[in-house]
Amino acid sequence: IELQTLVKRIALILNDRKEVASLTGENWWNYLNSTFGENEFNPEMGRILADLSYSEPDRIDKYSQNEIDSLFNLIENWIRKHNA
């Protein structure tokens, strides 16, 4: 399962489908921040998540392991906060 799809599926379970399903870009990150209580989700993390989810491996190689680990840790913490 793609990481972005996993996060969206959890969000759909936690909240009203009408509120969450159409969110993208900055609106999606604002939603994630509002449900997380922190402002850790930002456009930079969004680009990394989108590239990891939808791009060819050569585009992913531009990110450091630290950047990828930070994204995974952020999403893991968001999931844990919701006991999902």
Side-chain angles (χ1 to χ4, degrees):
I1 232 172
E2 294 174 351
L3 190 56
Q4 182 140 281
T5 302
L6 175 64
V7 174
K8 185 71 101 165
R9 285 182 181 177
I10 291 170
L12 289 168
I13 291 168
L14 296 172
N15 293 286
D16 182 16
R17 175 176 277 283
K18 291 178 186 178
E19 177 186 347
V20 175
S22 64
L23 295 176
T24 61
E26 187 175 340
N27 291 330
W28 173 237
W29 293 109
N30 287 336
Y31 164 81
L32 291 174
N33 281 324
S34 73
T35 61
F36 193 40
E38 300 179 31
N39 289 320
E40 297 292 327
F41 290 98
N42 58 50
E44 180 183 347
M45 288 293 175
R47 282 189 297 278
I48 297 170
L49 180 57
D51 281 349
L52 288 176
S53 298
Y54 305 114
S55 294
E56 296 297 321
D58 62 333
R59 189 162 176 194
I60 295 167
D61 290 342
K62 70 181 179 180
Y63 298 108
S64 71
Q65 188 62 49
N66 187 46
E67 289 172 310
I68 293 170
D69 289 345
S70 292
L71 175 65
F72 274 83
N73 288 333
L74 177 60
I75 291 174
E76 180 181 6
N77 289 335
W78 182 84
I79 292 170
R80 286 180 190 270
K81 180 171 182 159
H82 294 90
N83 296 317

